[in-house]
Amino acid sequence: MREDTAHYLTRVLRLAVGATFVAFDPATAREADATIASVDPSVVLQISALRAARVTARRPLTFVQGLAKGDKCDAVVRDATELGATCVIVAECARSVVQLQGARRTSRLERWTRIAQEAARQCGRADPPRIELLPWKDAVSTLEDDAQRFCLHVHEALPLGPLLLEALRTEGAPIAFAAGPEGGLTADEVALAMTQRWQCVSLGALVLRTETAAAAVLGAVRVLDS
Amino acid sequence: MREDTAHYLTRVLRLAVGATFVAFDPATAREADATIASVDPSVVLQISALRAARVTARRPLTFVQGLAKGDKCDAVVRDATELGATCVIVAECARSVVQLQGARRTSRLERWTRIAQEAARQCGRADPPRIELLPWKDAVSTLEDDAQRFCLHVHEALPLGPLLLEALRTEGAPIAFAAGPEGGLTADEVALAMTQRWQCVSLGALVLRTETAAAAVLGAVRVLDS
């Protein structure tokens, strides 16, 4: 067993010999019952037969987040994982202040992937979302053909609520949201999304921070789709 | 003008002479157009006639949050303000690790009130939520008589979605949510809430962090009620 996993089981969760839990294999979305057989000198588990994971996402659910400053994207990845997203695409936008090149690009993507795996483990989910980092134009055009696409845009008046309720009526059908970085999307970026069948929608008059918007719309899906 | 407000206008927002914005009076939910008349030696504003604030909450919306560790309650107050809550009650629960007594109690309440005011200002809202700090038994029994009450409880199977849609049908009717601290609510606390007409509801199989739960349910109200 990897050392960080052993630490998580015996130090963070404080599981002792005899304790049971469910072990996930995210790569195959399978799980098994596990019992701690020994902790010293190393952690040894007794594992039942593998089965299909019980708690998986209910539909393909993508969140495209404009690359934002500081740890905002970390928070979006964590929240989106808890709230059932199956894919989080961090999109490099015209108003993204951060520029990720070369090694920083790789390490940031690894960081978000690790955050998604940890969040999935903590919320009891077998299938962490896929994480991608793409230019905006690619981010808004790499979706399932039948996905309902909602672009959160502060200057637009069409309320999301009724459209989302309609989209949720089809069980298992893909849904996607997109939001810009702190400075918002440019008119060109919005126009480009619209050519890819994204609808511009509003969440009302109050201005949301970018990370609150993600939790709000994915929260709405979670509440209405469970 | 208070020094921190002057700083916010000229340093954070970088407004110069001639810039216009909307000034709120949270206490009376009124607002006015303001123009910066001078910045040196001190900030002077030209203010239009007061009018009723345009952006206010659509219905009484309460979030009762079990007193949690670290800055979790800060995050809940901030998110709840952005998402339209009119009252946030931090509730002292059996499993609240933090104990707030005397001066710490007062200073924490002042801190949350200040966070709510700042968040209201940033999201363009004239009426920051009222913030209270109460024992759980008082927190769950100080609501409007006709409020629909939803207690988020991980072990309970009744899904929130359909009940929330039903509650939102009555325009302007009060809605309240309650969530425990990190360790959850005790059976006694849940039973007490039920005697006060709270319904136990579930957000699905995934375990949410306490601050994500607040954003998810208030986000659902925001999406569906705007």
Side-chain angles (χ1 to χ4, degrees):
Chain A
M1 179 179 304
R2 280 177 46 173
E3 203 170 321
D4 59 344
T5 307
H7 176 87
Y8 182 76
L9 289 173
T10 58
R11 302 290 169 172
V12 180
L13 295 179
R14 300 186 189 191
L15 299 180
V17 171
T20 59
F21 60 93
V22 177
F24 294 124
D25 177 12
T28 62
R30 290 187 301 177
E31 65 183 30
D33 294 316
T35 307
I36 296 194
S38 88
V39 296
D40 196 18
S42 61
V43 178
V44 176
L45 302 180
Q46 204 169 351
I47 302 272
S48 75
L50 282 167
R51 60 178 179 252
R54 283 173 198 152
V55 181
T56 54
R58 298 177 72 85
R59 64 173 77 233
L61 181 60
T62 298
F63 198 87
V64 177
Q65 170 62 57
L67 175 59
K69 277 194 295 190
D71 56 4
K72 285 182 207 291
C73 290
D74 295 10
V76 169
V77 168
R78 196 176 293 117
D79 291 354
T81 303
E82 282 183 47
L83 292 169
T86 56
C87 178
V88 179
I89 306 179
V90 179
E92 298 166 289
C93 294
R95 295 194 183 129
S96 290
V97 178
V98 189
Q99 300 287 330
L100 297 177
Q101 308 290 350
R104 277 192 72 203
R105 204 179 163 78
T106 312
S107 80
R108 197 61 68 93
L109 193 54
E110 282 172 2
R111 175 182 167 77
W112 292 323
T113 303
R114 201 172 57 240
I115 288 172
Q117 285 168 351
E118 282 166 11
R121 186 164 64 182
Q122 278 167 29
C123 72
R125 185 177 159 185
D127 53 345
R130 189 174 79 252
I131 312 288
E132 301 186 35
L133 172 58
L134 296 171
W136 174 258
K137 71 171 171 29
D138 298 329
V140 294
S141 44
T142 57
L143 288 163
E144 301 88 355
D145 234 27
D146 59 338
Q148 291 290 321
R149 303 153 161 84
F150 301 111
C151 182
L152 311 177
H153 192 50
V154 77
H155 301 298
E156 202 53 47
L158 201 59
L160 171 60
L163 298 169
L164 182 59
L165 284 173
E166 181 61 35
L168 288 168
R169 229 170 262 172
T170 312
E171 208 169 307
I175 293 179
F177 298 99
E182 307 93 327
L185 297 168
T186 64
D188 282 355
E189 285 169 335
V190 173
L192 180 67
M194 289 174 78
T195 68
Q196 300 292 324
R197 294 186 287 135
W198 289 79
Q199 285 186 281
C200 280
V201 295
S202 161
L203 293 179
L206 300 183
V207 180
L208 297 179
R209 283 173 303 145
T210 184
E211 62 271 41
T212 315
V217 296
L218 295 173
V221 172
R222 167 79 180 256
V223 167
L224 296 169
D225 207 23
S226 59
Chain B
M1 180 180 303
R2 280 178 47 174
E3 203 170 321
D4 58 345
T5 308
H7 176 88
Y8 183 76
L9 291 173
T10 59
R11 303 289 168 173
V12 180
L13 296 179
R14 301 185 190 192
L15 299 181
V17 171
T20 59
F21 61 93
V22 176
F24 295 124
D25 177 13
T28 62
R30 289 188 300 176
E31 66 183 29
D33 294 315
T35 307
I36 297 196
S38 87
V39 296
D40 195 19
S42 62
V43 178
V44 176
L45 302 178
Q46 205 170 350
I47 302 272
S48 74
L50 282 168
R51 60 178 180 252
R54 284 174 197 151
V55 182
T56 54
R58 298 177 71 86
R59 64 173 78 235
L61 181 60
T62 298
F63 198 88
V64 177
Q65 170 62 57
L67 175 58
K69 276 193 295 190
D71 56 4
K72 284 182 208 291
C73 290
D74 294 11
V76 169
V77 167
R78 196 176 294 117
D79 290 354
T81 303
E82 281 183 47
L83 293 169
T86 56
C87 178
V88 179
I89 306 179
V90 179
E92 296 166 291
C93 293
R95 295 192 184 132
S96 291
V97 177
V98 190
Q99 299 287 329
L100 298 176
Q101 308 289 350
R104 276 192 71 202
R105 206 179 162 79
T106 312
S107 79
R108 197 60 69 95
L109 194 53
E110 284 172 0
R111 176 182 167 77
W112 291 322
T113 303
R114 201 172 56 241
I115 287 172
Q117 285 167 350
E118 282 166 11
R121 186 163 63 180
Q122 278 167 28
C123 71
R125 185 177 159 185
D127 53 343
R130 190 173 78 253
I131 311 289
E132 300 186 36
L133 172 59
L134 296 171
W136 173 259
K137 72 171 171 27
D138 299 328
V140 295
S141 46
T142 58
L143 288 164
E144 300 89 353
D145 235 26
D146 59 339
Q148 290 291 321
R149 303 154 162 82
F150 301 111
C151 183
L152 311 176
H153 192 50
V154 78
H155 300 297
E156 202 55 47
L158 201 59
L160 171 60
L163 298 169
L164 181 59
L165 283 173
E166 181 62 36
L168 287 168
R169 230 171 259 172
T170 312
E171 208 169 307
I175 293 179
F177 299 99
E182 306 93 326
L185 298 167
T186 64
D188 283 355
E189 285 169 334
V190 173
L192 180 67
M194 289 175 79
T195 67
Q196 299 293 324
R197 295 185 288 133
W198 289 78
Q199 285 186 281
C200 281
V201 294
S202 160
L203 293 179
L206 301 182
V207 180
L208 296 179
R209 283 173 303 146
T210 183
E211 62 271 40
T212 315
V217 297
L218 294 173
V221 172
R222 168 78 180 257
V223 167
L224 296 169
D225 206 22
S226 58

